[in-house]
Amino acid sequence: MFHSLFAVAIAVTTFLPTLNLAPVPADVWSGKVVEVQASSISIRNPADGQNVEFVVNSATVITRNGKVAALSEIQLEDRAEIMAVKTGDKFVAKTVRALARK
């Protein structure tokens, strides 16, 4: 038993420092919602007028007017602030905060 625990301790102290556990930096985007689909949301970037699409998954935290919401509750023309990370050639939303249009 002692030898097994000792071997695990050695393995952890040897290999754990080699793992890259740094957080992945996220970008924050804001603009008007121009499209909502089953697993994505697009906003118009006011800086350049281009539409930007974000993948939404089960880990994405979504709120609308300060309350937890489903993606399907987000409406066109809502204002949205999206924190996302770039994964490959896609942006994956970590949070979507929407406010109803006025």
Side-chain angles (χ1 to χ4, degrees), residues 2-76:
F2 176 75
H3 294 285
S4 297
L5 292 176
F6 184 71
V8 169
I10 294 294
V12 168
T13 57
T14 302
F15 296 110
L16 191 57
T18 63
L19 296 176
N20 182 5
L21 300 178
V24 175
D27 290 321
V28 177
W29 299 72
S30 62
K32 285 189 179 181
V33 176
V34 294
E35 186 174 22
V36 178
Q37 295 188 17
S39 60
S40 68
I41 183 170
S42 297
I43 61 171
R44 178 161 292 125
N45 182 354
D48 62 9
Q50 297 293 311
N51 293 347
V52 183
E53 181 180 23
F54 301 88
V55 174
V56 175
N57 58 32
S58 61
T60 305
V61 177
I62 302 169
T63 60
R64 185 169 190 260
N65 297 329
K67 297 178 183 170
V68 175
L71 183 59
S72 60
E73 296 176 69
I74 307 294
Q75 298 181 13
L76 297 181

Side-chain angles (χ1 to χ4, degrees), residues 75-102:
Q75 298 181 13
L76 297 181
E77 298 293 317
D78 280 359
R79 300 275 317 149
E81 181 180 272
I82 301 172
M83 183 172 32
V85 295
K86 188 157 187 165
T87 303
D89 62 346
K90 297 181 185 272
F91 290 105
V92 178
K94 297 297 179 188
T95 63
V96 175
R97 293 183 351 177
L99 294 172
R101 63 178 177 246
K102 293 185 178 192

